[in-house]
Amino acid sequence: MKLGLQGFVRNDSGGVTVEVQGTSQRTKEFLQAFQEQLPPLASIDSLVTSELECLDESEFSILRSSVSHSESTPVAPDVAMCEECRRELNDTNDRRYRYPFVNCTDCGPRFTIIEDIPYDRPMTTMKSFTMCESCQREYDDPSDRRFHAQPNACPDCGPGIWFVTKQSDAKKFGSMEVGKHTRDSADAAIKEFATAIRNSDVVAVKGIGGFHLACDAKSLSAIAKLRERKGKVEKPLAVMIKSAEAAEAFAYMSAAQRRVLESKERPIVLLRKRNSSEHQAMLQCVAPGNDCIGVMLPYSPLHTLLVDACMPLVMTSGNLSDEPIVRTNAEARERLKELADSFLFHDREINVVCDDSVVRCVGNRILPIRRSRGYSPMPVALATTGPSVLAVGGEIKSAFCVTKGNYAYMSQHIGDVGNLETVDALTRNVEHFLKLFRIDVEAVVADLHPEYLSSRWAQQFAAKRGVPFVRVQHHFAHALSLIGEQRWSDDRNAIMCCFDGTGYGTDQAIWGGEILIANSQEYERFAHLDYFPLPGGDACITHPSRTALALLRRYQIPWDDRLSSISTLTEIEKRVLRKQIDSGFHCASSSSMGRLFDAVASLIGIRHSVSYEAQAAMEMEAMASEVIEDVQSSYEFTMKPAKAIQIGCQSLLESIVRDVSAGVEKRVVAARFHRAVANMICSVCSHARDSRKLNTVGLTGGVFQNALLARLAECRLRAEGFDVLSHTIVPPNDGGLALGQAIAARTTIR
Ligand code: ZN
Ligand code: ZN
Ligand code: FE
């Protein structure tokens, strides 16, 4: 319109079509301006232009969206409130002053409210609200910043909030009458919320991607109550706080961390705790034994109002442990009744649940830990195109992936697919993705593990659809997830260090300390940690001391009672364990790096049993970080050449036992161990470089959530002249696995 052109624009399920007609000068100007003046949320993936015959047209119009049944178009993730909307929220003269659902074309919910494409209001959960005259005027006016803002709403016509206690009249749990909520009723609800929080109550709050359980971060009794009810005995929680400045009172923040904290994705960012006496108790209580605390800023207007009323808040996902996060008011009333004292509801339906994302920073690089709200379902652009496949990931921290063309759509965090509720969530979300992105699955892929519920689900799904079912080895999938997101060349090999806790190997052992030489078609197991027994298999995950003893026994290192790993067990327990290890009864064979970290943490005396996976390793990382700059390491892994190089721990463990017995500080031993692992990575990679002429190293697998190890390994490798691939888009843990599985399957079935 500005350039006086005629033609039309139309949203369709394959993207956007614009036809303009005018002088060639003007149309050129249009094409340039179109690319240079994009609104904040727009991005151009590809632009195709062609010249057409002129038509008899007198104006420029916006045409109704058209849907095709084969083409797909990306769906935007949910975006944090923009600055303009924040200004309105705080402006006493604005008609949306303190309205909890302010949004505009540049911000607001998307993925969680979209039922189908194209993205128009009738295809969202906002369809039940009819816009008032003022809102409609904004929506229809191309010059308004709410032009075609699908969730557009105001206190007169949009959703509202209300507060109820558990004792409240059951009727109040349902939806509220539209138009009945006013600024006063919303303010009253927020006031009641604040009072409840001050009374150390746990409040279930409906947000963007589901319910949270909120409590006062400064009330130790409230946090204790929340933990007890949730059964999260020691797991770190996250806090939501007004601003980055406010967070700096209790956490250190680099420029990179601040940028991601304030980004439109607004993930939980893991920040190093600042030791101040004022916040000591809160930090210890929110994230015990951890040197980091998860911090997020409010991302919706509702959260902004809540945090303004009583900051900071502990915010944890509203679910029973291991179950999917709660979505509807009715579900919350049922499933959260034992967990929450009261509820803050709203009546904008959530169509898809989406947990908060979690990231940490390694230097300036963002390391995703959980990719969910704000990121999903932005597609990962792959280097090549291929068939459409569905990959279901592993068992824990599950997320699935569907591909179409050169796009891989990674789902939000689904959770641990170990119970029926999560399997239901998997089914529902897979169906939603297939519909949303118009995908006809040509193959289904799962992990090699025969017992995974997700693998069985995938097999059935493939059978129902009559398409091939493929299994991919766990660590090869890790390698491919990194190769895929970093668009490493398809046919060239890279040295992939895949370190994690558990992955089913082709020889039925539990792998996890794997150095593979891989490309998108195939892999070779170049080196791995030498096998050691895991007495009781998965029982070792919760009892690092068992792994420690098994490792010592494996290398014929005496069980010395001066080590707390040993003295923590009774004589009978030791006798039983020794017998079990020696006979191999119920012992899995393992090359798991995650278990080695656990075992060393136990030997050092940091922790002999844990309440969540990798707890011991996380605490060890925290200790090592304190002194790493002043510590060098003489600890050594050994390397035995064989078909695959066997990385032995004899000398390493002997050195650790010697240091621990000699009373060397825990954190020093921990730091030496971290350096030793980084050194080992570097020497195995040098070996691969010499023998195979390869120069690119990838670091993947859950162990690389350890930012200290990641940083040490990257530094060493770069100093030796290697190119290093690290995750920046999907997590190195099993949350990124599906991407690698999908890439493998596309090659297999092609
Ligand atoms: Zn906005
Ligand atoms: Zn309105
Ligand atoms: Fe894994």
Short mmCIF file of all heavy atoms in Angstrom, two decimals, residues 80-86 102-108 145-146, ligand 1:
data_model
loop_
_atom_site.label_atom_id
_atom_site.label_comp_id
_atom_site.label_asym_id
_atom_site.label_seq_id
_atom_site.Cartn_x
_atom_site.Cartn_y
_atom_site.Cartn_z
N ALA A 80 7.45 -14.63 24.21
CA ALA A 80 7.30 -13.80 25.40
C ALA A 80 6.72 -12.43 25.05
O ALA A 80 6.92 -11.92 23.94
CB ALA A 80 8.65 -13.63 26.08
N MET A 81 6.03 -11.83 26.02
CA MET A 81 5.43 -10.52 25.82
C MET A 81 6.46 -9.51 25.32
O MET A 81 7.57 -9.43 25.84
CB MET A 81 4.84 -10.05 27.16
CG MET A 81 4.16 -8.70 27.07
SD MET A 81 3.22 -8.29 28.56
CE MET A 81 4.51 -8.20 29.78
N CYS A 82 6.06 -8.71 24.33
CA CYS A 82 6.99 -7.73 23.76
C CYS A 82 6.96 -6.43 24.59
O CYS A 82 6.12 -6.25 25.47
CB CYS A 82 6.65 -7.44 22.31
SG CYS A 82 5.16 -6.44 22.10
N GLU A 83 7.88 -5.52 24.28
CA GLU A 83 8.02 -4.28 25.05
C GLU A 83 6.80 -3.38 24.92
O GLU A 83 6.37 -2.75 25.87
CB GLU A 83 9.29 -3.53 24.63
CG GLU A 83 10.55 -4.06 25.30
CD GLU A 83 10.39 -4.23 26.81
OE1 GLU A 83 9.98 -3.26 27.48
OE2 GLU A 83 10.65 -5.35 27.32
N GLU A 84 6.25 -3.30 23.70
CA GLU A 84 5.07 -2.47 23.47
C GLU A 84 3.90 -2.95 24.34
O GLU A 84 3.19 -2.15 24.96
CB GLU A 84 4.65 -2.55 21.99
CG GLU A 84 5.28 -1.51 21.11
CD GLU A 84 4.89 -0.10 21.54
OE1 GLU A 84 3.72 0.26 21.34
OE2 GLU A 84 5.76 0.62 22.07
N CYS A 85 3.71 -4.25 24.39
CA CYS A 85 2.62 -4.79 25.19
C CYS A 85 2.88 -4.57 26.69
O CYS A 85 1.96 -4.29 27.45
CB CYS A 85 2.42 -6.28 24.89
SG CYS A 85 1.64 -6.57 23.28
N ARG A 86 4.16 -4.68 27.08
CA ARG A 86 4.49 -4.43 28.47
C ARG A 86 4.14 -2.99 28.85
O ARG A 86 3.62 -2.71 29.93
CB ARG A 86 5.99 -4.66 28.72
CG ARG A 86 6.45 -4.31 30.15
CD ARG A 86 7.95 -4.41 30.29
NE ARG A 86 8.40 -5.71 29.84
CZ ARG A 86 8.37 -6.80 30.62
NH1 ARG A 86 7.96 -6.71 31.86
NH2 ARG A 86 8.77 -7.95 30.14
N VAL A 102 -2.74 -9.55 27.41
CA VAL A 102 -2.26 -8.62 26.38
C VAL A 102 -1.37 -9.37 25.40
O VAL A 102 -0.53 -10.16 25.83
CB VAL A 102 -1.39 -7.50 27.00
CG1 VAL A 102 -1.01 -6.48 25.96
CG2 VAL A 102 -2.06 -6.87 28.18
N ASN A 103 -1.56 -9.17 24.12
CA ASN A 103 -0.62 -9.73 23.13
C ASN A 103 -0.78 -8.95 21.84
O ASN A 103 -1.66 -8.10 21.72
CB ASN A 103 -0.90 -11.22 22.91
CG ASN A 103 -2.23 -11.45 22.22
OD1 ASN A 103 -2.34 -11.36 21.01
ND2 ASN A 103 -3.27 -11.74 23.01
N CYS A 104 0.07 -9.20 20.90
CA CYS A 104 -0.01 -8.50 19.62
C CYS A 104 0.60 -9.38 18.53
O CYS A 104 0.93 -10.53 18.78
CB CYS A 104 0.70 -7.15 19.70
SG CYS A 104 2.49 -7.27 19.76
N THR A 105 0.76 -8.80 17.34
CA THR A 105 1.31 -9.57 16.23
C THR A 105 2.72 -10.06 16.54
O THR A 105 3.19 -11.03 15.98
CB THR A 105 1.33 -8.70 14.95
OG1 THR A 105 0.12 -7.97 14.91
CG2 THR A 105 1.44 -9.55 13.71
N ASP A 106 3.42 -9.34 17.42
CA ASP A 106 4.81 -9.68 17.69
C ASP A 106 4.99 -10.60 18.90
O ASP A 106 6.12 -10.98 19.22
CB ASP A 106 5.62 -8.39 17.95
CG ASP A 106 5.69 -7.53 16.71
OD1 ASP A 106 5.43 -8.06 15.61
OD2 ASP A 106 5.99 -6.33 16.84
N CYS A 107 3.94 -10.89 19.62
CA CYS A 107 4.14 -11.69 20.84
C CYS A 107 2.87 -12.46 21.21
O CYS A 107 1.80 -12.22 20.64
CB CYS A 107 4.56 -10.78 22.00
SG CYS A 107 3.24 -9.79 22.71
N GLY A 108 3.02 -13.35 22.15
CA GLY A 108 1.85 -14.08 22.66
C GLY A 108 1.91 -15.56 22.37
O GLY A 108 2.89 -16.07 21.83
N ARG A 145 -0.84 -2.37 15.14
CA ARG A 145 0.12 -3.42 15.51
C ARG A 145 -0.57 -4.72 15.95
O ARG A 145 0.08 -5.70 16.28
CB ARG A 145 1.10 -2.92 16.58
CG ARG A 145 0.50 -2.57 17.91
CD ARG A 145 1.56 -1.98 18.83
NE ARG A 145 1.14 -2.15 20.21
CZ ARG A 145 1.40 -3.22 20.92
NH1 ARG A 145 2.10 -4.19 20.40
NH2 ARG A 145 0.96 -3.32 22.16
N ARG A 146 -1.92 -4.69 15.96
CA ARG A 146 -2.65 -5.94 16.23
C ARG A 146 -3.37 -6.44 14.99
O ARG A 146 -4.28 -7.26 15.06
CB ARG A 146 -3.64 -5.73 17.37
CG ARG A 146 -2.93 -5.47 18.68
CD ARG A 146 -3.76 -5.79 19.89
NE ARG A 146 -2.92 -5.84 21.06
CZ ARG A 146 -2.56 -4.78 21.77
NH1 ARG A 146 -2.99 -3.58 21.44
NH2 ARG A 146 -1.77 -4.92 22.82
ZN ZN B 1 3.19 -7.61 21.96
#
